Amino acid sequence: MDARLNLHENEIAAKFFKRLNAAAAVVAEAGLPEHTGNLVVLRASQINGCGFCTDMHTKDALAAGEDQTRLALVAAWREATVFTDAERAALELTEEATRIADAAGGVPDEVWGRAARHYDEDQLVALICLIGVINAYNRANVVVRTPAGWYEPGMFAA
């Protein structure tokens, strides 16, 4: 599969994604557990059908010490016993926020309430921002059909 264009070699894309990465770096300051963030970006990427991001975030999570079984079960988190209640709340919020166009009223209060029981205000903001950033990346990569499978963990690290 060939990409329609290479976002990694385009000057405008490089400038845009550098700024998006800088914005995403703020998430690390909020105290959201790294493993939760890894699950969130993986689940949004699965929902959006972004092969490149699914590949990247699976490999990055493994490199960060995440368990292969948990990663394999992210798409079926409701039936899996390997996630904490806090992780389930984050995954549920991720799904609702990623599929926001499918819900006339946006993210339901119950979903927000479950997330708010496990995360403080800064962590909730981090979740919202992380979900927004990964959805932006997913959409860009899906539109240009960035192929999956070639990513190596840490290859985009500054």
Side-chain angles (χ1 to χ4, degrees):
M1 178 174 171
D2 293 323
R4 291 176 169 153
L5 62 87
N6 189 332
L7 292 174
H8 306 285
E9 294 178 357
N10 179 279
E11 184 178 340
I12 298 298
K15 289 178 184 178
F16 177 80
F17 291 121
K18 181 179 180 179
R19 287 170 177 83
L20 193 58
N21 286 338
V26 175
V27 170
E29 299 171 14
L32 184 69
E34 180 183 12
H35 64 273
T36 300
N38 287 336
L39 297 174
V40 163
V41 295
L42 177 56
R43 185 63 190 126
S45 298
Q46 292 170 336
I47 291 166
N48 288 322
C50 184
F52 176 76
C53 291
T54 298
D55 177 47
M56 170 193 266
H57 296 300
T58 298
K59 289 174 179 175
D60 283 346
L62 285 168
E66 183 57 82
D67 180 73
Q68 177 63 47
T69 300
R70 285 169 41 91
L71 293 176
L73 291 171
V74 167
W77 63 268
R78 284 178 178 80
E79 295 82 24
T81 60
V82 296
F83 301 107
T84 67
D85 288 343
E87 291 167 338
R88 291 173 176 285
L91 289 166
E92 184 179 34
L93 181 62
T94 300
E95 288 189 1
E96 293 293 332
T98 299
R99 294 181 168 135
I100 203 163
D102 297 339
V107 174
D109 289 339
E110 307 80 51
V111 172
W112 179 260
R114 281 188 283 278
R117 280 196 290 276
H118 297 283
Y119 300 100
D120 66 27
E121 186 173 292
D122 287 348
Q123 292 170 323
L124 288 168
V125 169
L127 279 169
I128 294 165
C129 293
L130 187 59
I131 293 165
V133 167
I134 192 58
N135 275 280
Y137 272 114
N138 291 163
R139 281 152 175 75
N141 283 297
V142 168
V143 168
V144 302
R145 295 184 180 158
T146 303
W150 57 271
Y151 176 77
E152 295 294 326
M155 69 185 284
F156 296 132

